[in-house]
Each structure stands twice: as structure tokens, then as C-alpha cells.
Amino acid sequence: MSFPKSSFIPVLLIIGFFSFNVWAKVDMTMEDIVEVYLDESADIRCQYVFSEHPRAVMIQWFVRNPGSRTRERIYYGDDTLQIVDNGTDFMGRITVSDIRDKEGVLLTIQNVQLSDEREFFCQVNGMAAGNGEGKTHLRVFDPPESPVIEGVLAGISVTNDLPSRIASCEARNGFPKPNITWYRDSRPLNPAHGKINVVTLVTRESSGFYSVQSELQYKVAKEDKDALFSCEVSYYVPGAARTAESKGINITVHYPTTVVKLWMESPRGLVKEGDTVELRCQGDGNPPPPFSFHRDQDSETLEARDDTLVLSEVTRGDSGVYQCRSLDLDSNQEVTGDAQLSVHYLDPAVVVPKDTEVMFKGENLTATCNALSSLETATVWFKNKQKVGTGHMLFLHDASYATAGEYICEVTVPSLPGLHTSGSVHIIVQGAPQMKDSDREVKMEQGLGKWVNLSCEAHSQPLPSISWSVSGSQSWREVLTRATEQNTISLVSIKVTSDITAFCNATNEMGTETKAFSIRAIPMVTSTAPYLPAEGNGVIILVVILCILLLAILSSLLYFLHKKGKIPCGRSGKQEITKENANKDEIVVEMKTDTKTEDSVLLKGINGDKNGTSNQVTIGYLSCTKTGAYCLQFLLSPV
Ligand SMILES: *[C@@H]1O[C@H](CO)[C@@H](O)[C@H](O)[C@H]1NC(C)=O
Ligand SMILES: *[C@@H]1O[C@H](CO)[C@@H](O)[C@H](O)[C@H]1NC(C)=O
Ligand SMILES: *[C@@H]1O[C@H](CO)[C@@H](O)[C@H](O)[C@H]1NC(C)=O
Ligand SMILES: *[C@@H]1O[C@H](CO)[C@@H](O)[C@H](O)[C@H]1NC(C)=O
Ligand SMILES: *[C@@H]1O[C@H](CO)[C@@H](O)[C@H](O)[C@H]1NC(C)=O
Ligand SMILES: *[C@@H]1O[C@H](CO)[C@@H](O)[C@H](O)[C@H]1NC(C)=O
């Protein structure tokens, strides 16, 4: 801005001049509203265009005081003087400067305060060139703090006739005044008569900020127990509107009980005697009403803990209908729930015949096993842990000794595996003795004078006794009798003196069974020569021949040596010629002086007999004739 040097004219004169210069014109351009955040700086432009070039221009800025029509000047400037007026709110915070490239001035307000929200007037006076005025409304903004929501902790009953206070929300220190909106599950709640009231309290703080408190009054329904309530604060900022949402809160809704349910919590499935049963009761009201438990329609109250009735070690007598009753205090109505309890049972098994039953061989018997149960049962018969039948009847046909034994029936309840019982019967089968191998006559041969053992084994119930009759031998005796539970065994030892026939009779009260033996006596050949295997003969003959040959050579050698006098003859003594560590077959030649009349050479050799304790066997005798005093003994020792 440029002020012509000679244009200073007193204010009074300006006003007078202004009144008659109507033909001259100034076009003013100012923004209606300038928006700014608190504490920031605001720029207000004042642009003007003169229709006639002015000789001097005078600029003044005014503000309108809030709540009054009076204006206060805050700035004066012409081409010689620029004054920021003393004693105003803007002292020290405003500057006025030229607008670059354009005819006009820029008012800058630093550190904007809430109280700066006013109308700013720009007055331009060009004397004869005319004058003009424009205004701008400065708006100041400061966002409020985040909204704080608080729910009502106490339960709210759906039976309340009027909307109840359920939550309050506060947004503090905002400028300008923020708004609060309520939401239920993200949907806005608009006030509705008799259903939703919103009570708002706006406080102007001494600092100039606004704090808004909002209370939601709401007629709750049962569905609201799971709803989430929240509030939202909305406020303006320069050039925009913003919102901030609070967290969601729950409310506790109280509603009457209309339905009561009673059910068996444990055990799962069927109940058997001895089980501990838990019946639980639940109503659909909130808070849960107190319950009482009853048997059938009885007025007597069963002892229970809260919502659970525990029946320990139930019996079939506990079966029946149980009832849970709840009295709603609001509506004063009794609501009940029923549950049927069926306690299943399986009585001990009754077996017929009981304990022990005696059967005769060949007889038939039907055994039964029954156990009373509230459920369908299954019966299996076992003998020696083997399954022998199913069903509650067991048919024993044509009894034999194998039939005898302990029969166990096991009764189970397929639908309730915990239930099972068992019973047993011991079957004894009586009959005539049964001899082992009685059907064939035992024939055997034995050397005369030898002993033979004959045995008989018989079984029966009652136990058989065994007796023998032997013909053909005077010399026999029973060497063993043994009786087990069902068997009797007898063993006799007989000397074979001639052909023998023997019988053994197994006898009890029920009968006799006989087993026959016949023994043919064979005369003994009194040969003491040991038996030689045929194939060994050839080898032995060969060895004998070789020995004779060797003997002949040795004899000649000895005779020759004797003649030469190398070996003393006729003296008592023994010399051994030992070939140490020779081949596998070691030959020991032993020379003995023998004074006995008969000299002999004993030849020993390896025999093929593997089982014999001795590996040496006598294979024959050779008479020593020529050597006289010498006897040669050949030992063929095996390795
Ligand atoms: C402006 O204020 C200062 C002190 O704040 C004072 O000295 C001065 O005289 C005042 N001027 C006017 C014109 O009131
Ligand atoms: C607050 O509510 C008033 C009245 O409904 C409305 O004029 C104003 O724009 C709202 N303010 C905000 C920040 O939404
Ligand atoms: C609301 O309340 C229910 C029961 O009181 C609770 O299970 C649920 O977590 C709550 N939800 C919130 C968001 O607090
Ligand atoms: C045993 O039962 C079978 C077949 O059921 C029958 O043929 C037989 O005569 C019966 N025996 C006795 C001794 O009753
Ligand atoms: C016969 O039995 C007796 C006694 O058990 C036994 O000592 C003997 O060796 C047996 N004799 C024969 C030839 O088996
Ligand atoms: C054995 O039984 C037969 C007939 O079964 C009888 O003749 C014999 O005398 C009996 N012998 C003995 C020793 O009991």
C-alpha cells in the first residue's frame, strides 16, 4: 500500500467529504468467513478497487464487540502513520501488511484466542475518490476431548414403564459447541416419545470452551442384553466436520423367567443303579431366579445346591419325574420344568440248576441263566474261558466226561455296558470208566527173563480203581498207581518167564472196562560178542591184516636187535617208543615183559561208534609165539 505524502486529513473532515462525494466508488472484496484453529494465526484480506484514482488512502480495522453493536478500532494507517490501537485485545498480536500484486491490505492475527471469534471490519477511505467497508467473520475452532461414556451398572428391568437412564456421555472442552449422538449396535438412536430420551447439558467453561453432557434414557427390552451402546461426538474444524466415537458398553437387563428347563447334566446317557445323578435347572430370566426341586408333584423341597440337584448312588426307587420350580418375583408367577429319571438295573444272575449238577453219561441237560433287568440283556456261556453258547439257555446233549466242568454265564446289557452280572453251575458227569486205548489189544515181544512194564490209564466219575490179572508169570508187581481228579493210572512190572496175557480192569460203581495185553517170550541168544555194524567189517579185517604185517616186521626187527644185543632181554623193565606229535593217528607201541604163560597182543582200533563212552574197542587177540617174552600191544588211538 502506498499512501500519498500530502494526503493526511483529520478524521472529521473525511466524514464530511464522504457525504457529498457519492459519484466516486470503491469496490471492496473480503471473505465472509475465515476459519482458524485456536492458537494459530489468522489472515484476513481486505481488497479494494477505486473507480477514480485516490490522492490519499486511509485504512482502519474495527472489531465488533461480542453481544453489542458497538465497534472498536484496532488499527489506523495512512501514508504517513500506522497505529495499532492501544488497550484492545489485539494489541501486540496484529500486523497489517500489503497484499502483493493487488490493491489491498492483509490483517494477520497471531495466537488466535476464542474471544477473537468476531466480525472484523475493514474501512477504506480515499477522500474524493470515495470510501468503502467490508467485513469478515473470524471463526475459531478447537476439537473437544474424546467422549467418555459411562453405563449404568445396576440391572435395568424390562418391566419399567418409562425409559430408564442407561448411560451418560461427556465431551469436554470443545469449541464451538460439539454435538453428541447415541448409538445402539452402530445404529443411531433418535429420540422417540416414551422410548428414547436424550437429555443434554451444555456447559460453557470459564475458559470459553464448551463441555457437553448427554444422558440416554431408554426403555430396555430383553434383546438389549447383548446390545452395545456407544456415543459419538461431532464437531467442526476449519473446513470440515469430524466425529469421535466412544467405546461400547454393555448394560445389564433384568427380565422375568418365562421358561424353566430341567435336564440331566450327568451321567451322559442311561443311568444305572449306583450312579450319581446331577439334575440341572435353568430359567430364561435374568437375574436367574431361585429354584426349588421337587419329586413329582410333592410340595416337599429336595435339598439342592443352587441350580443343581445331586442324587448320589441312585436306585431304581429314585426313578420318576423331577420338577424344578421358580417363582418370578416381578410377575409373581411360578414357572416349572420337568425331567424324567429312569434308573436302570440288573439283578444277580440266577442259574438253574444251581451250584453243582451231576449228569450221567449220555444224558441231556438244559441249564438256564436269568437276570432281571430294566433293559434288554445278552447272555453268553463260557467254559474254560471258551465261549460255549449264547442266550439264557444252554443245552448240554449227550453228556460225556468232556462235558464236565464249570459253566459260567455272563449277562450284559448292551445298551448300558456298566451293567453286568454272572452265575455259574458246576457239571459233574458220572459214568463207567473209560480206558485209554482200550479198543486195541496190546501185543508185544520180549526176551525171556526180562521185565516189561504195562500201563493202564482210565478216567471216570467216580474215580475208577484199576486191578490186574496176569497169567503166564508168577513174578509181577504193581510199581505205580496214581490218581488225579478224574484219572487213575496203574503201572505193573512183569518178568517174562513165558508167553503172558494180562488184563487190567478199571472199575467203578457204574461199570468196568478192560484192556488186554499179550506178550510173546523170545528165547535169548547168549552171545557176548558185541554187535558190529556190517559195513565196519571190511575195515577191521584190513586193519587186522595190516597189524599182522606190522607185527611180522616188528618181530623181525626186534629179533635182529636182540641178536645184536641192543635191547636187553629178559630184564624187568618197560620202554616206550613214542612218536610225539605225529600225524593225526598216533601209534603207540608198548613193549612189556610178561612172565605169564600166555602172551598175547591186544589190538585196539578206532570204532565208528560215536555214542560209546570209550573210543577204543577190542577187536581181537593175537598170540605171540615167536617173541616169547615180549608182548606187543598196538593201540590205535583216535585223535
Ligand atoms: C499506550 O499505552 C502505553 C502503555 O501501555 C502508554 O504509555 C501510552 O501513553 C498509550 N498511548 C495512548 C495513545 O493511549
Ligand atoms: C449439532 O446439532 C445442531 C442441531 O441439530 C446442528 O445444527 C449442528 O450442525 C450440529 N453440529 C455438528 C458439529 O454436527
Ligand atoms: C457384554 O456382556 C456380556 C455378559 O455380561 C459379556 O459376555 C460380553 O463380553 C460383554 N461385551 C462387551 C463388549 O463388553
Ligand atoms: C438227548 O437229546 C437228543 C436230541 O435232542 C435225543 O435224541 C436223545 O434221545 C436225548 N437223550 C436222552 C437220554 O434224553
Ligand atoms: C519199568 O518201570 C519202573 C518204575 O517206573 C522203572 O524203574 C523201570 O526201569 C521200567 N522198566 C522198563 C523196562 O521200562
Ligand atoms: C476183569 O473183568 C473181566 C470181565 O470184564 C473179568 O472176567 C475178570 O475176572 C476181571 N478181573 C479182575 C482182576 O477183576
Side-chain angles (χ1 to χ4, degrees):
M1 184 175 67
S2 60
F3 295 94
K5 291 249 165 80
S6 59
S7 65
F8 182 83
I9 294 157
V11 176
L12 283 171
L13 217 144
I14 298 164
I15 296 162
F17 190 80
F18 173 60
S19 54
F20 57 86
N21 262 319
V22 284
W23 42 269
K25 219 176 114 213
V26 186
D27 277 339
M28 299 292 297
T29 309
M30 282 182 86
E31 289 164 286
D32 287 341
I33 294 169
V34 165
E35 299 185 328
V36 66
Y37 277 109
L38 182 72
D39 295 336
E40 294 190 346
S41 60
D43 289 337
I44 301 173
R45 282 158 192 279
C46 176
Q47 282 168 266
Y48 48 88
V49 177
F50 283 93
S51 57
E52 234 171 71
H53 188 74
R55 284 188 294 132
V57 175
M58 192 170 63
I59 305 283
Q60 291 180 102
W61 284 94
F62 297 88
V63 294
R64 195 192 321 263
N65 287 327
S68 82
R69 295 213 56 84
T70 61
R71 307 198 319 188
E72 183 182 17
R73 197 183 73 176
I74 57 168
Y75 176 85
Y76 172 87
D78 57 27
D79 55 351
T80 57
L81 197 65
Q82 286 95 40
I83 310 164
V84 174
D85 283 286
N86 234 4
T88 73
D89 293 344
F90 299 93
M91 178 75 185
R93 286 200 292 131
I94 53 170
T95 52
V96 176
S97 54
D98 288 346
I99 300 175
R100 217 177 297 151
D101 306 332
K102 286 213 170 111
E103 199 72 8
V105 289
L106 176 69
L107 171 68
T108 301
I109 309 155
Q110 251 114 44
N111 194 20
V112 168
Q113 306 293 302
L114 291 184
S115 54
D116 296 350
E117 174 149 321
R118 302 191 202 182
E119 282 174 329
F120 286 77
F121 298 88
C122 175
Q123 211 174 73
V124 179
N125 198 326
M127 308 298 166
N131 51 55
E133 189 182 83
K135 71 168 177 182
T136 290
H137 197 144
L138 179 66
R139 288 197 184 278
V140 183
F141 296 87
D142 192 37
E145 294 162 17
S146 310
V148 175
I149 191 169
E150 216 171 294
V152 169
L153 294 176
I156 301 145
S157 176
V158 297
T159 54
N160 292 357
D161 291 329
L162 292 169
S164 320
R165 196 172 76 87
I166 65 164
S168 64
C169 182
E170 185 173 19
R172 288 175 56 81
N173 297 330
F175 195 90
K177 180 183 83 71
N179 285 348
I180 287 177
T181 319
W182 286 94
Y183 287 85
R184 178 191 181 275
D185 287 337
S186 308
R187 297 168 85 135
L189 290 172
N190 296 314
H193 182 69
K195 291 218 158 88
I196 303 168
N197 295 338
V198 175
V199 179
T200 306
L201 176 68
V202 180
T203 312
R204 186 82 197 254
E205 309 282 350
S206 55
S207 54
F209 291 110
Y210 290 97
S211 290
V212 182
Q213 275 173 298
S214 179
E215 184 182 284
L216 176 63
Q217 294 173 353
Y218 185 81
K219 193 165 179 344
V220 293
K222 190 177 168 183
E223 300 73 53
D224 295 318
K225 68 189 167 72
D226 302 317
L228 224 48
F229 291 88
S230 62
C231 66
E232 185 190 71
V233 58
S234 48
Y235 54 92
Y236 290 115
V237 293
R242 299 250 165 91
T243 59
E245 207 175 328
S246 73
K247 68 178 170 66
I249 54 148
N250 264 350
I251 58 167
T252 308
V253 180
H254 286 177
Y255 41 90
T257 303
T258 54
V259 178
V260 163
K261 251 170 44 181
L262 180 64
W263 73 94
M264 193 166 70
E265 182 80 358
S266 77
R268 296 263 174 242
L270 297 171
V271 179
K272 59 180 186 298
E273 287 191 327
D275 283 350
T276 292
V277 174
E278 270 184 42
L279 294 175
R280 245 187 93 193
C281 185
Q282 200 176 60
D284 63 346
N286 188 43
F291 301 113
S292 63
F293 291 89
H294 304 265
R295 177 86 184 267
D296 300 317
Q297 301 296 319
D298 280 2
S299 56
E300 195 192 324
T301 302
L302 301 168
E303 201 180 302
R305 170 171 41 83
D306 301 332
D307 60 349
T308 307
L309 174 68
V310 178
L311 303 167
S312 25
E313 297 200 15
V314 290
T315 63
R316 62 198 80 175
D318 292 321
S319 297
V321 176
Y322 287 78
Q323 197 170 65
C324 167
R325 296 178 197 164
S326 153
L327 183 70
D328 192 83
L329 299 170
D330 269 344
S331 58
N332 207 30
Q333 272 191 330
E334 192 183 62
V335 191
T336 62
D338 286 355
Q340 166 83 41
L341 174 65
S342 304
V343 179
H344 295 288
Y345 56 89
L346 176 66
D347 283 343
V350 175
V351 182
V352 177
K354 66 192 269 260
D355 302 335
T356 303
E357 178 74 4
V358 175
M359 289 174 77
F360 292 113
K361 263 169 71 176
E363 263 189 342
N364 295 339
L365 177 80
T366 301
T368 60
C369 175
N370 287 298
L372 195 64
S373 176
S374 52
L375 293 166
E376 202 168 310
T377 59
T379 307
V380 180
W381 292 85
F382 292 95
K383 186 189 178 206
N384 297 330
K385 299 198 170 118
Q386 300 276 307
K387 186 172 154 182
V388 292
T390 54
H392 76 284
M393 291 206 284
L394 177 72
F395 302 101
L396 297 174
H397 284 293
D398 189 16
S400 68
Y401 287 125
T403 310
E406 175 105 357
Y407 289 82
I408 295 171
C409 70
E410 283 192 2
V411 184
T412 55
V413 178
S415 52
L416 190 44
L419 283 180
H420 54 83
T421 184
S422 64
S424 71
V425 59
H426 192 94
I427 299 287
I428 294 168
V429 176
Q430 288 194 343
Q434 244 175 21
M435 187 83 79
K436 210 172 159 187
D437 302 327
S438 65
D439 47 343
R440 61 183 179 91
E441 189 184 346
V442 180
K443 292 192 167 140
M444 52 207 287
E445 296 182 343
Q446 187 56 285
L448 267 173
K450 295 256 169 151
W451 288 84
V452 286
N453 284 352
L454 303 180
S455 79
C456 264
E457 185 178 342
H459 75 136
S460 69
Q461 182 69 38
L463 260 187
S465 61
I466 293 179
S467 59
W468 292 86
S469 66
V470 180
S471 60
S473 175
Q474 306 309 307
S475 201
W476 68 277
R477 62 177 189 273
E478 194 167 19
V479 290
L480 176 81
T481 38
R482 203 175 63 223
T484 60
E485 239 176 279
Q486 281 187 352
N487 283 2
T488 305
I489 296 170
S490 174
L491 185 70
V492 291
S493 209
I494 303 174
K495 186 167 187 182
V496 181
T497 50
S498 63
D499 287 357
I500 293 168
T501 51
F503 298 95
C504 79
N505 287 4
T507 313
N508 70 2
E509 295 95 281
M510 320 291 295
T512 298
E513 200 168 48
T514 303
K515 184 176 173 181
F517 300 85
S518 75
I519 302 154
R520 196 166 68 83
I522 40 176
M524 287 289 283
V525 184
T526 52
S527 164
T528 52
Y531 175 71
L532 293 170
E535 64 169 284
N537 282 349
V539 180
I540 292 161
I541 290 163
L542 201 70
V543 170
V544 168
I545 292 166
L546 278 171
C547 288
I548 293 167
L549 269 168
L550 202 65
L551 190 68
I553 295 162
L554 270 168
S555 303
S556 333
L557 192 70
L558 285 168
Y559 184 72
F560 174 75
L561 289 171
H562 178 67
K563 281 282 175 215
K564 287 255 176 168
K566 289 265 167 74
I567 297 175
C569 191
R571 278 170 54 189
S572 176
K574 193 162 106 180
Q575 283 197 352
E576 279 186 16
I577 304 164
T578 313
K579 195 182 173 196
E580 286 181 351
N581 299 332
N583 297 328
K584 280 187 171 182
D585 287 336
E586 192 180 316
I587 298 168
V588 178
V589 179
E590 191 181 73
M591 284 163 286
K592 272 189 198 167
T593 310
D594 203 334
T595 49
K596 294 253 171 80
T597 48
E598 208 180 86
D599 298 330
S600 61
V601 176
L602 176 65
L603 295 174
K604 289 190 175 179
I606 301 164
N607 198 321
D609 184 7
K610 288 183 182 81
N611 302 328
T613 46
S614 168
N615 286 320
Q616 295 175 356
V617 120
T618 307
I619 56 168
Y621 296 95
L622 287 174
S623 295
C624 301
T625 47
K626 294 280 182 221
T627 51
Y630 294 99
C631 180
L632 298 175
Q633 196 175 23
F634 290 82
L635 294 170
L636 292 169
S637 306
V639 184

